Amino acid sequence: MSVMYNRVALIGLGLIASSMFWAMKRRRVAGHVTGYARSAETRQTAREIGLCDSVAGSLEEAVKGADLVVLAVPVGAMAQVMAGIAPHLAPGATVIDVGSVKAAVIEAVMPHMPDNCHFVPCHPMAGTEHSGPESGFAELFDNRWCLIVPVQGARPEAVAKVARYWEALGSMTETMEVDHHDQVCAVVSHIPHLIAYTMVGVADDLGRVTDEEVIKFSATGFRDFTRIAASDPTMWRDVFLTNKDATLEILGRFTEELFALQRAIRKGDGDHLFDYFTRTREIRRGIIEAGQDTDAPDFGRISKG
Ligand code: NAP
């Protein structure tokens, strides 16, 4: 693979940025990669584990001469980071973000964007419940979608190059309109996380979450909720604060459906429950047919015997 960007700056050195670094190295997508994170502790960890070719001591130093700058910080920090790097961007540089919400990030970033640079908002639909510089791995984006949400007036060549870049990291790409993106992500990611947080919270309220019994039998579904509910609190706080309208709308629909199921249970309406669960089972089959998950029992986890 030939080098696509000569100098890449990763701002934020968590799960997504560190995975991008290892994926760039795997296929030699970038020349020199510089990293920067807010705390000296994270920067020191990055140096110790060889994360990035160099670790910068300031935002200015990180973006100096970079032809690609990646904003990989929580959504709520995007405006502050963008304001900090804007005066130091090289002419012609492309800036991308990886935030889970797009309207709020575009609103935060665009006012600071110099006319001679290009902003291409991105959202890699890949992640784990782990965070921080040591959580990344090169394969995170393989066969996962990366949604690209071009801003008005974006230069098509800059957008097309960013799409090719994500493909070089292993992703499949699709462009999407901003409001549609935020609503789709509320359905497929944001509300499922909220439900997982709630379910684990309910078990905790009942004083049972650490019960031997709950842990012992958690393979029956609860375990997957606890995994999702272990996701980074800062990131998810920012997602709900910044994707407020779409998440509230989907939450409203979810609550209506939940009440309908509650009613069916109370009334003993087995047909309602059976038809509902049959429909949702079909959706799961569709996901497997699209190659987005495994149909191996227990999501392919290896049994400990
Ligand atoms: P993470 O592992 O929690 O890491 C966040 C990084 O951002 C840390 O290195 C942190 O530095 C740095 N940071 C925070 N505020 C900063 C600031 N003001 N200036 C400079 N650096 C700052 O996060 P992540 O999971 O990689 O998420 C990064 C972005 O990707 C978020 O916008 C998130 O919405 C998006 N995303 C996440 C996932 C996922 O599943 N995790 C999936 C898709 C997209 P310190 O360590 O020094 O605090």
Side-chain angles (χ1 to χ4, degrees):
M1 169 113 236
S2 59
V3 166
M4 298 183 71
Y5 294 99
N6 291 321
R7 196 173 176 94
V8 176
L10 297 173
I11 310 298
L13 291 172
L15 170 71
I16 300 296
S18 56
S19 297
M20 290 175 78
F21 174 73
W22 300 119
M24 282 190 271
K25 286 293 142 186
R26 181 178 63 168
R27 301 234 173 98
R28 296 170 194 274
V29 179
H32 186 94
V33 181
T34 305
Y36 173 79
R38 175 181 49 173
S39 67
E41 189 189 344
T42 297
R43 297 197 296 268
Q44 185 53 31
T45 304
R47 286 188 190 100
E48 281 164 18
I49 64 173
L51 175 62
C52 296
D53 300 315
S54 61
V55 177
S58 69
L59 282 172
E60 177 178 356
E61 186 192 337
V63 303
K64 199 172 173 195
D67 49 356
L68 179 68
V69 176
V70 182
L71 308 179
V73 297
V75 173
M78 294 281 180
Q80 188 202 350
V81 168
M82 189 57 215
I85 64 170
H88 311 294
L89 289 170
T94 294
V95 178
I96 66 175
D97 79 294
V98 295
S100 307
V101 176
K102 291 277 75 95
V105 170
I106 292 170
E107 208 175 291
V109 167
M110 279 310 276
H112 305 286
M113 190 61 64
D115 289 342
N116 60 3
C117 296
H118 314 286
F119 179 45
V120 184
C122 302
H123 181 191
M125 301 290 287
T128 73
E129 69 278 26
H130 299 296
S131 52
E134 291 166 293
S135 58
F137 53 99
E139 299 78 20
L140 179 68
F141 309 108
D142 287 354
N143 202 29
R144 297 280 168 247
W145 288 99
C146 180
L147 302 177
I148 297 174
V149 180
V151 293
Q152 273 191 345
R155 266 190 50 195
E157 312 88 79
V159 176
K161 187 169 177 185
V162 166
R164 288 201 306 279
Y165 167 77
W166 282 107
E167 283 156 17
L169 300 193
S171 286
M172 306 175 287
T173 58
E174 188 157 309
T175 51
M176 207 176 254
E177 187 273 322
V178 58
D179 290 338
H180 187 59
H181 167 278
D182 286 358
Q183 192 170 53
V184 166
C185 289
V187 175
V188 302
S189 170
H190 305 168
I191 295 302
H193 273 80
L194 197 70
I195 294 166
Y197 282 124
T198 314
M199 195 56 232
V200 176
V202 166
D204 188 37
D205 275 351
L206 292 172
R208 304 218 50 177
V209 79
T210 52
D211 273 11
E212 194 193 336
E213 216 180 31
V214 170
I215 294 165
K216 192 164 144 194
F217 302 124
S218 67
T220 49
F222 187 67
R223 187 171 64 180
D224 291 308
F225 281 119
T226 63
R227 186 185 64 73
I228 296 171
S231 300
D232 190 72
T234 305
M235 170 189 158
W236 285 97
R237 176 202 63 194
D238 287 2
V239 165
F240 291 109
L241 291 180
T242 57
N243 198 19
K244 187 172 164 183
D245 293 345
T247 49
L248 284 179
E249 189 197 326
I250 303 304
L251 196 59
R253 287 169 187 243
F254 174 80
T255 315
E256 281 174 25
E257 300 270 320
L258 196 63
F259 280 141
L261 289 174
Q262 190 180 20
R263 190 155 173 261
I265 294 168
R266 186 180 301 114
K267 295 180 101 186
D269 185 351
D271 289 346
H272 181 98
L273 296 173
F274 185 84
D275 291 348
Y276 202 93
F277 301 158
T278 304
R279 187 154 64 88
T280 54
R281 186 179 228 193
E282 285 303 316
I283 294 168
R284 170 79 190 150
R285 287 207 181 108
I287 291 170
I288 289 157
E289 274 162 29
Q292 290 295 303
D293 207 349
T294 170
D295 65 351
D298 201 20
F299 305 101
R301 287 184 180 112
I302 296 159
S303 165
K304 289 196 181 121

